[in-house]
Amino acid sequence: MKRLVLILMLVATPLFAVEPDEVLSDPVLESRALELSKGLRCPVCQSESIDESNAPISKDLRLLVRERLVAGDSDAEALDYIVARYGEFVLLKPTFGGANWFLWAAGPLMLLLAGIVGVVYVRGRSKAVAPQDAGLSEAEAAALRDILKK
């Protein structure tokens, strides 16, 4: 039984990197902190939330979130503080405002542009005049006959 518990602890440890000394005593604040942490990206790992990462910067961000909540900030105020300090890169789901609108729109715009270019190309090919086969000139025909005789 002890081995099973040990194995489960070793398997589950990488899933959540929140250490026991980071957990708040107030369960309401702790649940708010966990919800906020799910939406914050680890600047080192980049594809993990700060709760899943063991990087030192993630620990600092987890502590900062909890510090802001204990100070009385609302969820929005805590996120605004962290984004103001670290930039919008720390958000796992960036906002649509500012310069990000271009990044959100770039994919669909490129797909639309590629579709337009494809349609224009195909229509242009279908309207193109087929090249007329003029045949060989008399000099070319004579040269070909000489080659074939050899």
Side-chain angles (χ1 to χ4, degrees), residues 28-47:
V28 174
L29 286 179
E30 182 60 27
S31 66
R32 284 177 56 201
L34 288 174
E35 281 301 313
L36 287 175
S37 297
K38 287 180 186 176
L40 294 173
R41 173 194 329 264
C42 172
V44 175
C45 307
Q46 297 183 6
S47 64

Side-chain angles (χ1 to χ4, degrees), residues 29-73:
L29 286 179
E30 182 60 27
S31 66
R32 284 177 56 201
L34 288 174
E35 281 301 313
L36 287 175
S37 297
K38 287 180 186 176
L40 294 173
R41 173 194 329 264
C42 172
V44 175
C45 307
Q46 297 183 6
S47 64
E48 294 181 350
S49 73
I50 60 173
D51 277 348
E52 299 167 341
S53 173
N54 287 323
I57 187 73
S58 290
K59 180 175 181 168
D60 293 342
L61 283 169
R62 288 191 301 265
L63 291 173
L64 183 60
V65 166
R66 285 162 173 77
E67 177 185 308
R68 298 309 305 169
L69 293 178
V70 169
D73 285 358

Side-chain angles (χ1 to χ4, degrees), residues 111-133:
L111 182 63
L112 182 64
L113 181 65
I116 291 170
V117 167
V119 167
V120 168
Y121 178 76
V122 168
R123 283 190 179 175
R125 294 268 317 208
S126 65
K127 291 180 182 178
V129 178
Q132 298 297 326
D133 189 14

